Amino acid sequence: MRFVDRVTADGADGWPVEAGRYRLVINRACPWANRTVIVRRLMGLDEVISLAVTDPIQELIAGEVHWVFTAETGSPGGLDPVLGVHALRDSYLKRDPDYDGGVSVPGLVDVPSGHLVSNDYDQLTLDFGSEWKRFHREGAPDLYPERQRDEIDSVNEFVYRDVANGVYRSGFAPSQASYDRAVRILFDGLDRLEDRLTRQRYLLGDHVTEADVRLFPTLARFDAVYHGHFKCNVRKLIEYPALWAYARDLFQTPGFGDTTHFDHIRRHYYGVHTAINPTRVVAVGPDPAAWLTPHFREQLGGSPFGDGTPPEPPPAIDRVPVVVPL
């Protein structure tokens, strides 16, 4: 991760908070990008930071795969209507013409210059929740309360190491031994989360925090792609009573399910990882409508936003297909 400038209220890095100036480039299949869109929604920054969505299938350009804009994701003619570029890499190169590294999403781009500001997905969500406060909607939650930061950081470190990154270490393991080790650590981690969430509604207790935002995208992708495609098949998410109910609770909370695009998730993972799926055949299940079944987590008490309120529905341009109830 090379581009780690911050957009701050005081503009200390040269990038001041300013409505309409920045564009968040994501892919809806990417769990790290999904996190930034969730926080953008929860804080009410939909109209303040514009959203650009790349195609679920990366395009081969000069021998390398790239996140590109297509008509399917709102870019007629293959150019993002705001940035005027075909590939996110163009914004990397505007910032540094000599850049020859990889390109990742999410990316926060300065619209006037076209320069990439940051691809630091961890810091982006924290800054959306703190540095952009003067543009937060009324009732926006505090996802990173100061009194809980040490515990949130500890949970986040564990979730990333053993679970969120654990599915990738399992799926791309180069040997049987490394796979066996990775998948054991992954399911040990899921077992720990199951135990924790049996006793409380959210990871830190009664309200949603940054920790829940970071875990949810992995759970949303688990049965759809990680279980089969990444060989994480010791158990399915639906076989964990507390984790599955917790995941449904979050999915049915504004900001989570309405930023989750199951079609893009399946098409991306099965379509681009040709080393582990050379046929590029895309699995059709599981039925996403199961995410709308009752979860009963309210019986544990608490509420998602504490003293805050849920965000309004996303603007039409940002909406994903609605899941139809069973």
Side-chain angles (χ1 to χ4, degrees):
M1 189 180 300
R2 175 168 172 176
F3 300 94
V4 293
D5 286 1
R6 295 175 60 195
V7 176
T8 57
D10 62 7
D13 275 4
W15 307 102
V17 164
E18 185 179 327
R21 176 169 175 176
Y22 304 97
R23 190 156 175 81
L24 180 63
V25 180
I26 67 155
N27 185 272
R28 293 205 181 274
C30 174
W32 324 114
N34 196 173
R35 289 160 28 171
T36 61
V37 184
I38 291 171
V39 176
R40 172 179 172 268
R41 285 270 293 118
L42 296 183
M43 297 300 108
L45 298 173
D46 309 66
E47 306 290 349
V48 177
I49 302 170
S50 66
L51 186 69
V53 180
T54 62
D55 197 271
I57 305 299
Q58 291 162 293
E59 181 178 313
L60 190 65
I61 302 175
E64 298 181 351
V65 292
H66 288 286
W67 301 107
V68 297
F69 302 100
T70 64
E72 179 187 338
T73 54
S75 299
L79 297 178
D80 178 75
V82 173
L83 299 175
V85 297
H86 177 56
L88 176 57
R89 183 173 180 80
D90 296 334
S91 294
Y92 278 63
L93 294 176
K94 284 187 177 182
R95 175 70 184 276
D96 179 1
D98 297 323
Y99 181 70
D100 61 358
V103 175
S104 62
V105 287
L108 190 68
V109 179
D110 175 54
V111 173
S113 67
H115 290 186
L116 179 76
V117 176
S118 175
N119 61 359
D120 187 345
Y121 47 80
D122 283 341
Q123 194 62 51
L124 282 173
T125 57
L126 295 176
D127 286 346
F128 285 174
S130 59
E131 300 297 327
W132 291 79
K133 278 188 175 180
R134 70 185 174 100
F135 291 111
H136 285 181
R137 64 180 179 85
E138 185 176 353
D142 183 0
L143 298 175
Y144 197 51
E146 191 163 352
R147 62 183 176 81
Q148 292 181 302
R149 287 183 182 178
D150 287 346
E151 188 178 5
I152 291 173
D153 290 345
S154 176
V155 171
N156 284 345
E157 181 183 2
F158 149 64
V159 166
Y160 173 79
R161 181 190 66 237
D162 294 359
V163 180
N165 198 41
V167 295
Y168 284 87
R169 288 201 309 271
S170 301
F172 292 107
S175 69
Q176 187 68 51
S178 59
Y179 165 77
D180 290 343
R181 182 170 54 252
V183 83
R184 184 184 66 253
I185 292 171
L186 167 63
F187 281 92
D188 284 349
L190 291 173
D191 290 344
R192 287 175 59 186
L193 291 170
E194 174 73 8
D195 178 67
R196 186 184 189 103
L197 291 164
T198 298
R199 296 177 277 109
Q200 58 196 46
R201 187 168 179 182
Y202 302 105
L203 286 174
L204 271 292
D206 289 339
H207 311 302
V208 167
T209 67
E210 178 81 15
D212 302 290
V213 170
R214 295 193 184 192
L215 174 59
F216 172 77
T218 296
L219 300 183
R221 288 153 179 77
F222 202 89
D223 287 2
V225 290
Y226 299 149
H227 179 269
H229 184 56
F230 278 178
K231 300 187 269 304
C232 300
N233 60 356
V234 174
R235 283 177 294 279
K236 294 180 179 178
L237 176 64
I238 62 172
E239 295 177 64
Y240 284 97
L243 264 175
W244 173 224
Y246 161 83
R248 299 201 313 280
D249 188 3
L250 288 177
F251 184 86
Q252 294 169 34
T253 299
F256 289 86
D258 55 22
T259 61
T260 303
H261 198 319
F262 287 112
D263 180 62
H264 277 203
I265 290 168
R266 286 193 299 266
R267 287 169 55 198
H268 171 76
Y269 279 88
Y270 284 103
V272 305
H273 298 150
T274 54
I276 57 177
N277 185 37
T279 65
R280 302 181 71 181
V281 172
V282 179
V284 298
D287 183 357
W291 285 85
L292 297 179
T293 57
H295 53 76
F296 305 110
R297 294 286 290 179
E298 65 277 359
Q299 296 175 5
L300 291 170
S303 61
F305 304 122
D307 295 330
T309 58
E312 294 295 321
I317 194 171
D318 291 352
R319 291 178 189 168
V320 300
V322 176
V323 172
V324 179
L326 290 169

